[in-house]
Amino acid sequence: MTGYALSFFRFWADLWVLFSSGLSYFFKGELERKETIKQMYVIGVQSLPIALLTVAFSGMVSALYTATASVELGLSYYIGAGVAIAMAREVAPVLSGVVVAARAGSAMAAEIGSMKVTEQVDALRAIGISPIQYLVLPRVIASSLVLVIMTVYANLIGDLGGYIVAINYGVPSASYISSILHYLKPYDFFMGLIKAFFFGLIIALVGCREGLRTEGGAEAVGRATTSSVVISIILIFASDFILARIMFPPK
């Protein structure tokens, strides 16, 4: 029990050190811009097709569940709004976060973990380069910004997936679009983007932390990769609940 408690507090202490030290380098203007742009490409461009495909099918499923009953009850006008609000508040940011955690977060842990076990991280320190400045900060900035951009696209694709299914169930095209424009509030959309920013922060901090904590050989790198994905996804859903409670309190 004591061992689990120590691991728990050490985990959060490590995240705080990475976050606060990275923030310090950022405000000093010591951001590695080329590395940040490279990470934005690796995290965003290479993960975008998977995220959009996943969200598109989620939008189609949402419309599928609601279309039949709504048409029968004469409530087809609200299908577009229902899909769009669900996308903006939950589906687009959360699913994009899960995809990035599985693909890019694991890659961060594997890459940094490999550098750690081959003593490349120690070599950076030896020549006066901070691993937090060179490895952690670019990934944190890139992951947070890219996930926000991905969520914008995910909203559009998710709504389009719902539209394709809805019109096939007899929902008028104009009705679907009109209900989105009428009921989807900018607040819903922007709160979803803020969630995405936090999810990106979590994914990068956890991936880098697990990589920097790697000790041993290839087997340890594999464990770090797996644990980064598991921890990131758990924290995404936990923080989603907290953020949803704050952003959308029950009336």
Side-chain angles (χ1 to χ4, degrees):
M1 186 65 186
T2 305
Y4 286 115
L6 286 175
S7 297
F8 178 81
F9 287 116
R10 188 170 65 180
F11 171 80
W12 287 106
D14 287 347
L15 290 194
W16 173 249
V17 169
L18 294 181
F19 176 74
S20 57
S21 300
L23 208 59
S24 173
Y25 284 116
F26 178 76
F27 283 118
K28 289 177 185 174
E30 297 178 354
L31 173 65
E32 296 287 341
R33 290 175 176 78
K34 286 185 179 177
E35 182 65 16
T36 304
I37 293 170
K38 175 189 167 187
Q39 292 302 322
M40 290 179 76
Y41 174 80
V42 171
I43 298 168
V45 176
Q46 295 184 356
S47 301
L48 188 62
I50 304 170
L52 295 186
L53 198 60
T54 306
V55 175
F57 280 116
S58 297
M60 294 170 78
V61 170
S62 299
L64 186 66
Y65 279 133
T66 55
T68 305
S70 298
V71 169
E72 289 176 354
L73 295 171
L75 301 173
S76 59
Y77 178 77
Y78 299 100
I79 292 176
V83 171
I85 291 172
M87 282 291 151
R89 290 186 177 190
E90 288 293 328
V91 178
V94 171
L95 280 186
S96 298
V98 169
V99 168
V100 171
R103 193 190 175 286
S106 61
M108 287 180 208
E111 183 183 7
I112 296 176
S114 298
M115 292 178 68
K116 180 73 187 310
V117 299
T118 55
E119 300 182 350
Q120 294 180 58
V121 174
D122 293 332
L124 286 175
R125 289 195 183 96
I127 59 175
I129 297 176
S130 165
I132 295 178
Q133 178 196 359
Y134 186 73
L135 297 176
V136 178
L137 182 58
R139 285 164 175 78
V140 169
I141 298 292
S143 177
S144 303
L145 294 181
V146 158
L147 204 50
V148 172
I149 297 169
M150 285 177 66
T151 302
V152 174
Y153 285 107
N155 272 292
L156 296 174
I157 293 297
D159 294 343
L160 178 61
Y163 171 83
I164 292 169
V165 172
I167 61 173
N168 276 291
Y169 275 79
V171 177
S173 172
S175 175
Y176 185 92
I177 296 170
S178 175
S179 70
I180 293 177
L181 297 176
H182 189 265
Y183 288 104
L184 180 64
K185 299 174 183 175
Y187 181 85
D188 297 321
F189 181 74
F190 287 112
M191 289 302 104
L193 299 187
I194 291 174
K195 279 186 176 183
F197 179 84
F198 278 104
F199 297 159
L201 191 66
I202 289 169
I203 292 164
L205 287 175
V206 171
C208 293
R209 188 265 180 188
E210 293 304 305
L212 290 171
R213 275 284 176 186
T214 305
E215 291 182 358
E219 189 179 340
V221 175
R223 284 198 300 272
T225 303
T226 304
S227 62
S228 75
V229 175
V230 172
I231 295 170
S232 294
I233 290 176
I234 291 172
L235 290 182
I236 284 172
F237 282 101
S239 60
D240 180 48
F241 172 77
I242 295 169
L243 292 171
R245 187 70 179 79
I246 295 170
M247 294 172 174
F248 309 105
K251 297 179 180 177

